[in-house]
Amino acid sequence: QVQLVESGGDLVQPGGSLRLSCAASGFAFSEHTISWFRQAPGKEREPISCSRADVTYYAGSVKGRFTILRGVFENSIHLQMNNLEPEDTATYYCAADPHLAIHGNTCPGWYAYDYRQGQGTQVTVSS
């Protein structure tokens, strides 16, 4: 049975850093397209980063501040978030898919991913 568990969310001050983690069971992230999404209250879930092989995309709002990482072990991925801003406050979700390709300057939409079962982790940026 496939499961995804996000963790690492917290309350942090503006300018601070967090490292989110996503642990998978039932499959390994290797050779999968991996992605992080976020959803703020009252807003749609949006992709902020995705990666497959040597292709990585970041949304303009996080580019230069966030880094998507594959873990040392094949069942984990991470999102390193630096210089956090109040606008980054949201619930963050991971997703993965064995076949999706990344085309152009965007990530596949949420429902395109086969693996997206996690409950998310809350990030709050506030002083």
Side-chain angles (χ1 to χ4, degrees):
Q1 184 177 358
V2 171
Q3 285 189 319
L4 293 173
V5 178
E6 300 94 342
S7 63
D10 204 345
L11 170 64
V12 63
Q13 292 188 344
S17 297
L18 280 176
R19 187 179 179 101
L20 304 183
S21 297
C22 174
S25 58
F27 75 101
F29 284 113
S30 59
E31 299 184 8
H32 280 60
T33 299
I34 58 172
S35 187
W36 284 93
F37 289 74
R38 69 184 180 188
Q39 187 167 18
K43 294 188 177 181
E44 293 187 354
R45 192 165 300 186
E46 62 172 346
I48 55 174
S49 182
C50 55
S51 179
R52 184 181 182 93
D54 59 351
V55 178
T56 300
Y57 165 82
Y58 294 98
S61 59
V62 306
K63 194 171 185 178
R65 301 187 297 122
F66 290 12
T67 304
I68 189 170
L69 300 166
R70 294 184 185 268
V72 174
F73 302 103
E74 291 184 337
N75 66 338
S76 66
I77 62 172
H78 307 280
L79 184 68
Q80 178 65 42
M81 306 189 297
N82 298 328
N83 195 20
L84 283 160
E85 303 170 352
E87 293 73 21
D88 296 318
T89 295
T91 302
Y92 285 71
Y93 302 85
C94 61
D97 191 278
H99 305 297
L100 278 179
I102 301 173
H103 296 294
N105 295 321
T106 187
C107 295
W110 176 251
Y111 293 104
Y113 290 84
D114 276 355
Y115 305 142
R116 43 184 169 82
Q117 291 86 344
Q119 297 301 306
T121 186
Q122 177 66 38
V123 172
T124 303
V125 184
S126 175
S127 55

